Amino acid sequence: IIKDYKEGDKSLHLKLEDETLYEYPIDLQGNELPFLRNPDILVGENDLTALSYLHEPAVLHNLKVRFLESNHIYTYCGIVLVAINPYEQLPIYEQDVIYAYSGQNMGDMDPHIFAVAEEAYKQMARDEKNQSIIVSGESGAGKTVSAKYAMRFFATVGGSASDTNIEAKVLASSPIMEAIGNAKTTRNDNSSRFGKYIQIGFDKRYHIIGANMRTYLLEKSRVVFQAEDERNYHIFYQLCASASLPEFKDLGLTCAEDFFYTSQGGDTSIDGVDDADDFEKTRHAFTLLGVKESHQTTIFRIIAAILHLGNLEIQAERDGDACSVSSEDEHLNNFCGLLGVEYSQMQHWLCHRKLVTTSETYVKSMSVQQVVNARNALAKHIYARLFNWIVQHINKALHTTVKQHSFIGVLDIYGFETFEVNSFEQFCINYANEKLQQQFNSHVFKLEQEEYMKEGIPWTLIDFYDNQPCIDLIEAKLGILDLLDEECKVPKGTDQNWAQKLYDRHASSQHFQKPRMSNTSFIVLHFADKVEYQSEGFLEKNRDTVYEEQINILKASKYQMVADLFQDEKDAAPTTSMAKGTSKISVRSARPVIKAANKEHKKTVGHQVTYDLSGSIVKILNLYTPVNEFEERVTVAFIRDIQMHLQERNDPPQLLLDFKHMFPVLFPFNPSSITMDSIHLPASLNLEFLHKV
């Protein structure tokens, strides 16, 4: 401040760090003053909790100083590690760095992903508790790479005791999952389009013995549609780039530009990425994980078949009410040949559907648009089944018969995102992030404060943003997803009608808005940003209709692996076991049984999203996220002891904070560079009861 402030002044006269003069207007009604800055000695501190003033500008400034002036991409915030994506490879992840962090305490060295991984490993061994590392952040923040480094750390420090090479297999799962589950978006050249939770299992001596992966919410729509400047999944481009290899001659592939499913985004290449080279790495990883050569060939045949399916020429007939695919269509010929299915059957059932009523069955022609929708749904369904098959086989390769003593979980889920046009996929992704944010809040704030209240410790509650109202808007009864499912059941339901129901129902919600200029869009105020979603296509994507007749043709494939992909659980193994002592009588109605609608899926996608999030991810994290560091290391007895001493001094009871004489008190554990020796405690404070640790 360069000029004294007098009460009633309408502005403050300030001099900024870069010597510029600035007049800061003061709102006399709101009485809002600018944020206080931290003393120079604290700027660039490696733990944000060590700052005297912790507010958004101070946090951002500290991160900026560390990143630009000290070249540090990592900073602690208590038990949380904040990472800034440098968008380049840094030489801080070599083996010797892993060994340097191994066995160290979290605050002893510079902040690093390896320090967090070591802390999880140490707590697992010391407390015999399973651990979880959550990697969250917006799209392009570097989550997948961070998760990979954490896994590499565990693979190195927990190297298997036997020659099973299991840690190499755990790491080999990454290139495969990136090939089939990552794609280029406008935010990120290697964006994960699915969520994954990897559990790395350890034996009693804390050596890796195996791993297990669960995946969530694959973005299937990308298989059939890409926005401008985006790509389909990497594997399609990798295969096209290697199409000239002799073993792939019979796939009928050319370059990616020639296929509708890989060329909608425009440029099919990524700067600095060699798809053919990456394909070699993908194949090598498959081999390392023990996927047989014949199975690999079938995987690539299925991927090529999806590309041919996207290039079918559909010709309209009879004023567009019916259509057909030519008998000479080379892409349909390739599709059927690669999947080992009957050409004439596929040609017929791509353009017709079966309607079953109580008394008879009709075969109905479909319009061009209906055929295109059905064709796209089939392509998505084939890819999703293949994706699940690959995940199962990775899990089989990483499975162990040795008894698992404990595990560390790593959750890497796609980040919050908002584009020019946001649809059902962004809605699901942002809903997933909303749930994760709540998980984060509950561990860092809620649980901590509830514990203090329970213990009756005087404590000023920190006001933090609770996003439960936003989650309720999405998942509660008559929330966005519930109304979407309802509209999907209405025979003539439309995206527009659904949007109208949202306006009628949620107009008063603080997290919902209707855009001024649109009757088909809606805005959700998420924790990270407000996002406008276009309702067009929501119903179709949520229904995810695949016609049974097309699936039945694939079930009859002459290739065993293709046929197996489409077997339902109930088809695969009919259960004949019966509970002891019970007999079962089956009664058949005299009326013909009405078959369920011609759909492969009975669950809508929205329903599956809610189940995945509330039923799986959050449940896993609630089970295994360890008690907060603070709670573990600062015992209630320790806090009570200090409370008692403070009360004896007739001071107002406060938790480790004395407003008359601001002094820092270190807990037994503190990841800060300031040590006890550097703190001078004046004798006048009567704090002899505090011992150095």
Side-chain angles (χ1 to χ4, degrees), residues 141-361:
K143 294 178 297 301
T144 299
V145 174
S146 296
K148 274 199 291 197
Y149 286 136
M151 283 162 61
R152 189 191 294 171
F153 182 88
F154 299 132
T156 305
V157 300
S160 57
S162 62
D163 300 329
T164 52
N165 205 15
I166 190 71
E167 64 272 24
K169 288 183 179 175
V170 169
L171 298 179
S173 64
S174 291
I176 295 174
M177 294 313 295
E178 284 185 24
I180 62 171
N182 287 28
K184 177 193 176 202
T185 69
T186 53
R187 301 284 298 272
N188 181 357
D189 285 348
N190 188 28
S191 178
S192 302
R193 311 311 297 166
F194 68 106
K196 70 173 177 288
Y197 179 71
I198 297 181
Q199 281 185 355
I200 301 170
F202 297 86
D203 61 14
K204 279 195 167 145
R205 292 173 58 209
Y206 306 107
H207 292 304
I208 289 185
I209 49 167
N212 183 60
M213 174 166 39
R214 301 178 204 191
T215 59
Y216 305 94
L217 311 175
L218 174 72
E219 185 189 45
K220 294 192 291 187
S221 62
R222 184 165 294 272
V223 176
V224 300
F225 170 75
Q226 305 91 46
E228 196 176 341
D229 285 331
E230 300 205 349
R231 295 209 315 178
N232 203 328
Y233 291 105
H234 297 323
I235 190 73
F236 290 105
Y237 303 90
Q238 291 178 8
L239 193 56
C240 285
S242 311
S244 57
L245 294 177
E247 59 267 43
F248 298 134
K249 280 279 187 275
D250 60 344
L251 299 184
L253 291 180
T254 50
C255 60
E257 286 89 351
D258 295 342
F259 292 95
F260 179 63
Y261 281 167
T262 45
S263 59
Q264 295 168 69
D267 190 2
T268 60
S269 60
I270 300 175
D271 288 342
V273 173
D274 182 340
D275 287 314
D277 188 44
D278 283 353
F279 189 55
E280 278 310 306
K281 290 176 187 157
T282 306
R283 290 174 78 185
H284 177 68
F286 271 128
T287 307
L288 188 63
L289 285 169
V291 178
K292 290 191 299 205
E293 204 63 46
S294 62
H295 279 158
Q296 288 187 44
T297 305
T298 310
I299 290 169
F300 303 139
R301 290 175 77 92
I302 293 168
I303 287 162
I306 291 171
L307 290 180
H308 287 298
L309 183 60
N311 274 24
L312 295 187
E313 279 194 37
I314 301 155
Q315 293 142 358
E317 295 171 357
R318 297 210 310 265
D319 300 335
D321 288 342
C323 57
S324 64
V325 177
S326 160
S327 301
E328 270 79 62
D329 194 305
E330 63 163 325
H331 291 293
L332 182 58
N333 201 13
N334 281 330
F335 174 79
C336 295
L338 289 169
L339 294 186
V341 298
E342 209 175 309
Y343 186 93
S344 57
Q345 286 279 320
M346 203 44 139
Q347 185 189 11
H348 178 76
W349 287 114
L350 273 170
C351 303
H352 299 82
R353 58 178 290 203
K354 201 183 273 187
L355 293 174
V356 181
T357 65
T358 46
S359 52
E360 51 194 322
T361 304

Side-chain angles (χ1 to χ4, degrees), residues 4-36:
D4 282 352
Y5 170 72
K6 296 185 190 66
E7 202 169 336
D9 282 359
K10 292 190 175 169
S11 63
L12 283 175
H13 294 271
L14 308 174
K15 188 186 217 176
L16 304 183
E17 272 188 346
D18 60 3
E19 301 293 314
T20 52
L21 301 179
Y22 179 63
E23 201 171 318
Y24 184 91
I26 298 174
D27 174 12
L28 295 175
Q29 272 78 35
N31 204 18
E32 281 193 10
L33 292 167
F35 290 110
L36 290 170

Side-chain angles (χ1 to χ4, degrees), residues 452-480:
Y452 278 36
M453 312 268 284
K454 214 160 52 192
E455 296 289 340
I457 295 168
W459 169 257
T460 310
L461 282 174
I462 295 173
D463 189 22
F464 68 91
Y465 172 70
D466 185 6
N467 57 347
Q468 187 59 48
C470 185
I471 289 170
D472 288 342
L473 166 72
I474 296 170
E475 70 178 21
K477 192 162 175 53
L478 296 179
I480 294 175

